[in-house]
Amino acid sequence: MNAAVTTAPADVIRDGLAHLAPVALDALVDVAGLLTRVDRKYVVELQRVPGLLAGLPEGARALEIDGERVFGYRSTYLDTPALDGYFAAGQGRRRRFKVRTRAYLDTGTSWLEVKTRGSRGTTVKQRMPHPDAETVPVSPDGHTFVDAALASGRINRVRPQELTPVLVTAYRRATVLLPATASRVTIDVDLGWTSLRPRCPGELARPSLAIVETKTGSTPSEVDRLLWSHGHRPVRISKYAVGMAALDPTLPRLRWARTLRRELAIPAPTLPSSPQEDR
């Protein structure tokens, strides 16, 4: 699974996308903004990504900004002291949520984002401009925004003022537009996690892996079918959740136990198992 990689992960993606025509950010958002969508995630060995990119459907286009196609991201996740966000997602609750700030390192922009669940398993994302929550506390306007976004997802048990930064994820991402289905695909590499919780400090990196995510309407995209033809299947993975579980061995792994063990090669801790863990 974690064979040595001799080419920088970002260069693997950059080279694999070189044959695609570019698309500007505004055009990408116009065609496939998809703030309400179905996400399917795949963990792929980096060495297999070039073959997948070579098979992208005709008409696929790569997001390009100022001549660059691979961009740095940094997300700071916030949760309650009881980790309500982590447990709600891990236990598959209908009323689950995710709150984070996301910084786009190459453009210098940053957003406060709230994800909730919509009808039929869709993901609903709402966001507003806001600095990285690790360095700048969430503002009163940010608390008001989070409160309204959670209420729209029928989540009333969480007070925004309780949310504090607990984890940072960092990675580099390329985005591909599929105009025929008004959908898009992201490929994340240089995957890294840093715990912000004093009781379990630590870092995790997986440079030999990529997370490929399709973001579509209800119908799978051409890239989903391409991935299936190469033997890849969607997996349960949340960058937030697997980072939390990997860096805090006292947390139950819940529905991510298999992904942590198989895809991320993180052995199970020598602790009593939770009956709710996905085996």
Side-chain angles (χ1 to χ4, degrees), residues 145-211:
F145 164 77
V146 171
D147 194 40
L150 293 176
S152 70
R154 301 183 187 179
I155 298 164
N156 303 309
R157 67 186 182 277
V158 174
R159 295 178 65 250
Q161 293 80 2
E162 296 179 323
L163 298 167
T164 58
V166 293
L167 185 80
V168 169
T169 64
Y171 50 94
R172 297 188 65 78
R173 168 174 287 184
T175 300
V176 174
L177 171 67
L178 307 175
T181 53
S183 58
R184 55 192 166 97
V185 181
T186 59
I187 307 103
D188 295 346
V189 297
D190 277 332
L191 304 167
W193 294 260
T194 302
S195 173
L196 300 180
R197 301 169 68 209
R199 65 181 301 273
C200 54
E203 296 185 348
L204 172 71
R206 284 295 180 269
S208 64
L209 297 177
I211 297 176

Side-chain angles (χ1 to χ4, degrees), residues 44-89:
V44 179
E45 293 179 1
L46 183 64
Q47 62 189 6
R48 300 187 66 181
V49 171
L52 292 169
L53 296 180
L56 288 171
E58 185 176 354
R61 300 166 69 187
L63 173 64
E64 186 171 304
I65 302 173
D66 296 331
E68 182 55 77
R69 295 188 173 192
V70 184
F71 307 97
Y73 286 63
R74 173 187 169 88
S75 297
T76 299
Y77 289 87
L78 300 96
D79 211 334
T80 65
L83 302 181
D84 289 286
Y86 176 85
F87 282 100

